[in-house]
Amino acid sequence: MTTGSFSSENKPKIIIIGAGLSGLTAAYRLQQMGHDVQVYEARHRPGGRVLSVKIGESYGELGGENFLDGNEGRYSLKLIRELNLEPLHFKKPFSCIYANDEQATSFSEIIGKFKNPPNLWKLLEEVASCSINLQEVIDSVFNEDPELLSIFTRALTTYEGSDPETLHPSSIDSLYEIFLLFQDLSVGNKGKPGGVKRLCLKGGNAKLPLALSDKLERGIQYGSVLTAVRKEQQKMVLTFNANQEICADIILLTIPCSLYQNIEFASNTIPQEQLFDIKSIQYGTNSKILFPIILKNKKCEFMILPHFVSWLNEDDSIMTFYMGGKQGILDLKSATSLFDEEIPFLIKGEGDIRINVNKMEEGNDIQLSSYEGAVFKSWINDPYAKGSYSNRGIGRSAILNEIITVRGEEVRNIFRPVRDQIFFAGEHTTTLPVLGTLESAIESGERMARLIEKSLKGFDISMG
Ligand SMILES: Cc1cc2nc3c(=O)[nH]c(=O)nc-3n(C[C@H](O)[C@H](O)[C@H](O)COP(=O)(O)OP(=O)(O)OC[C@H]3O[C@@H](n4cnc5c(N)ncnc54)[C@H](O)[C@@H]3O)c2cc1C
């Protein structure tokens, strides 16, 4: 059965696929502009890769955590304030430790050993220009110190989600950023103690998608998995699971690129070359394990352990173990054994800790579920994410870099709209320098709402 051509007011019908931050932001803005917009979401909850949990009385994030990752959070803060949510800003003076088989060493000692060349950025650029992947860059710059080599390899793998040998050398900006961060964390900045600025939401980041979904007058159709797209006459026809068909004048696809392979796009929809490029975008494999912790004498906030990078939440009651690359592909068995392996290193660095974990559970796909012990989430195994976030894979950097202007809005060429009928949003489509963040998802939703509005000004209502 095919349903829905024009709404009662005969407005063009806009369908958004995906109720993550990008889709919800776009839907909210389009609704504010007076458009007829409906969201279809595969899961039974809003938020996509934002998934908050409760452990005891505290909140933790199995997905996106820090709204300030790689940016100032301008778009996120505007939305958070507009929806009257409570931002939690914190910058703790971090102390950092690196623990390996032999010992736990403070970062200041490790970084202090590095003979910082007069211009590290220039050196990175030079090395990157003749390297085929990011691991080669790390190897050449830190080759004299195995500890630094190991720290940067591990930190980069976690930050980007993929092993550095699969990343394009232009990802040196992340390497440089991590270097500056570690330097800041170890020695402080201009006399002030070092730290990472963080911005989360009081009561869990899920508050943002939940608040946005509450604002949508037509609600969200949950459990609706898009499986095929075709064009019939002037309409887009979308097929969902259970063979339900819906017609739309305009569609906005906000799903991760890793999901395009599951959808059948007829040849009269997205051009083959563009679709091929979209499907080829690389995704990280990050996982998180969260667990309650009581520290007697807190020694450090941030640690690099053999398999994980780890940190404490704002009230020091939940620890996150975070990793990417090959290590990020977890199931219950491997999560449990990795966790058990890693705890002795945590104790080595932290000293007296109390962890009340009898069992490890896999996180439910429900916002704000409560857990008593450890909970993990492996995003590569999530059927509606199939990865953690996009990054610059080898051979994929150039296609992500090209930016064009459409109706006065910047768009990454690979995600250019198709005939003013198919639009793309999501963290991977952002025109901000850093992909793969909460901010980039929100930015893309804001920009696509503006672009759809602009293209609708010339919309031919007789299309119905
Ligand atoms: C472990 C982890 C840690 C992170 N940490 C941070 C951080 O600290 N700071 C930061 O800024 N960012 C972080 N991120 C990234 C951030 O969470 C994402 O960039 C952002 O949430 C992506 O939003 P989105 O709307 O682009 O995509 P999504 O949230 O993935 O939304 C897409 C939606 O589409 C739905 N969907 C998929 N397929 C279909 C289909 N066929 N039919 C219908 N619906 C479909 C999905 O269910 C999903 O709800 C992290 C991500 C992960 C996984």
Side-chain angles (χ1 to χ4, degrees), residues 17-23 40-43 45-50 62-69 71 224-227 240 254-256 259 263 286-288 322 379 383-385 387-389 425-428 436-441 444:
I17 306 297
L21 280 185
S22 58
Y40 287 80
E41 165 58 49
R43 304 175 198 267
R45 62 162 180 89
R49 283 169 277 166
V50 171
L62 286 174
E65 182 159 353
N66 183 5
F67 283 91
L68 303 182
D69 249 5
N71 64 80
S224 299
V225 184
L226 179 70
T227 57
F240 291 88
T254 76
I255 60 177
L259 268 300
I263 299 167
N286 298 81
S287 293
K288 277 186 181 178
Y322 191 46
W379 287 92
Y384 304 119
S388 48
Y389 36 81
E427 50 84 2
H428 46 284
T437 64
L438 300 162
E439 175 80 348
S440 63
S444 74

